[in-house]
Amino acid sequence: MTDVERVGVVGCGLMGSGIAEVCARAGRDVVVVETAPAAAAAGLERITRSLERAAASGRLTAAERDAAVGRIAVTTDPARLADRDLVVEAVAEDERAKLEVFHLLDRVVERPDAVLATNTSSIPVIRLAAAVSRPAQVIGLHFFNPVPVLPLVELVPSLLTGEDTVRRARAFATEVLGKEVVRAQDRAGFVVNALLVPYLLAAVRMAECGTASAEDIDRGMTLGCAHPLGPLALADLIGLDTVQAIARSMYAEYREPLYAPPPLLARMVDAGRLGRKTGRGFHVYGARGGGAMREDGGGVATAAGPTRPVIGRRDGEQPT
């Protein structure tokens, strides 16, 4: 089925922890690397809580939960990645940060044909592949949030990716993890974000110009189009900083106005109103996000709704 038995993950935020969890649940030995002990501890706690919820809901047995936890090691030592067959980078949607990770993996991972994958949402894979000595082993494996729930993975080879790498990455995603794969060209945004992000940005512009409140924009799409989550609540879930980073990457590639981040989005990021992970974005939430390494935002997910809107309220009410 696949020769990938030992998996590495760099970053244990929302996406990295989810990727680590599904790999461990599939019986693979998993090492996750974080930047600091506190972030590593928070990441392991995030994985453990998710596995406990799966067991409580009957999706896993207690024995399966314990076995999965036992297969995961979270560390701050990147040398632990040396023996990995596949490593997935899942850090912030920032090209410089990702390049640093790939330079590290190129030095540390010993298996010459190890698959070096990126979970980037929008950065062209070729930019990461060209930075290492083994570009034929670099490929995009874009998971979606929450990783244990959503079945999709975008498979994104670059112009330099070898066909054996494509075959092995696809086999791992489908045969080991049980995911559905769509193959995308190595263009910013790939398939899903190339369609999704202009929609999210259009909703931001609508709130910015006062066409409707954030609450009503979201209700319009959930009640009128049967979307599981409105566009502004979804942007909050992904993280407004991540949405901005994806939009900037896509605008840099295509130079189309629909990809340009609206001024309101930039102001909210500057203000630290990043969405669910900070407790406030276009809506206000009851809990703040954790402090682990920032992760790639991934894709669409269904989540609990906000407590109240803060942008574009009706009757001239000002945001607080």
Side-chain angles (χ1 to χ4, degrees):
M1 288 177 49
T2 177
D3 64 343
V4 175
E5 297 293 337
R6 296 179 297 273
V7 177
V9 180
V10 182
C12 202
L14 191 62
M15 294 302 295
S17 62
I19 294 167
E21 178 184 335
V22 297
C23 292
R25 287 171 63 167
R28 269 42 187 181
D29 177 81
V30 182
V31 170
V32 189
V33 174
E34 256 294 353
T35 54
L44 182 58
E45 182 182 359
R46 182 179 292 107
I47 296 169
T48 302
R49 285 200 311 267
S50 179
L51 288 166
E52 289 173 349
R53 287 194 299 270
S57 66
R59 298 192 303 274
L60 289 179
T61 67
E64 288 170 336
R65 174 201 62 201
D66 294 343
V69 171
R71 296 186 190 106
I72 299 172
V74 184
T75 178
T76 59
D77 181 8
R80 295 282 301 277
L81 299 172
D83 65 349
R84 301 292 97 178
D85 303 312
L86 178 148
V87 181
V88 182
E89 167 274 309
V91 301
E93 191 65 5
D94 176 87
E95 187 171 339
R96 182 179 298 178
K98 291 181 183 295
L99 284 170
E100 289 177 1
V101 170
F102 273 85
H103 289 147
L104 173 69
L105 297 180
D106 202 26
R107 295 193 307 269
V108 169
V109 179
E110 295 176 352
R111 179 173 169 174
D113 66 343
V115 176
L116 306 181
T118 175
N119 187 53
T120 181
S121 301
S122 61
I123 296 170
V125 176
I126 189 63
R127 295 182 189 168
L128 307 177
V132 302
S133 65
R134 36 181 156 176
Q137 271 64 65
V138 177
I139 194 167
L141 280 178
H142 182 211
F143 293 81
F144 289 78
N145 176 37
V147 180
V149 176
L150 293 188
L152 183 65
V153 172
E154 288 181 313
L155 183 73
V156 190
S158 81
L159 290 174
L160 300 177
T161 304
E163 281 304 314
D164 188 59
T165 300
V166 176
R167 178 191 60 78
R168 292 167 62 210
R170 178 186 287 274
F172 182 74
T174 59
E175 298 173 19
V176 176
L177 302 184
K179 298 294 188 181
E180 297 286 339
V181 166
V182 295
R183 181 163 172 166
Q185 289 189 1
D186 185 20
R187 302 187 67 188
F190 315 132
V191 173
V192 174
N193 279 322
L195 294 170
L196 175 65
V197 170
Y199 162 65
L200 301 182
L201 299 181
V204 175
R205 294 186 186 100
M206 185 172 285
E208 184 175 49
C209 70
T211 301
S213 69
E215 182 181 44
D216 282 349
I217 292 169
D218 283 346
R219 291 177 69 241
M221 297 309 294
T222 57
L223 300 180
C225 296
H227 288 198
L229 205 62
L232 298 176
L234 177 55
D236 280 352
L237 176 64
I238 294 169
L240 300 188
D241 53 340
T242 300
V243 172
Q244 178 180 249
I246 296 169
R248 285 176 170 172
S249 179
M250 293 172 66
Y251 182 71
E253 175 137 329
Y254 301 115
R255 296 299 177 183
E256 293 283 352
L258 75 165
Y259 297 125
L264 174 60
L265 181 62
R267 299 299 177 269
M268 293 178 71
V269 172
D270 290 343
R273 296 187 177 185
L274 307 182
R276 294 183 66 90
K277 60 188 171 184
T278 60
R280 170 174 282 187
F282 285 96
H283 305 281
V284 174
Y285 302 87
R288 297 175 63 86
M293 179 184 287
R294 288 175 55 218
E295 70 284 343
D296 167 32
V300 184
T302 301
T307 57
R308 62 187 180 95
V310 296
I311 296 294
R313 293 196 188 101
R314 290 169 294 200
D315 303 323
E317 185 180 2
Q318 296 298 311
T320 59

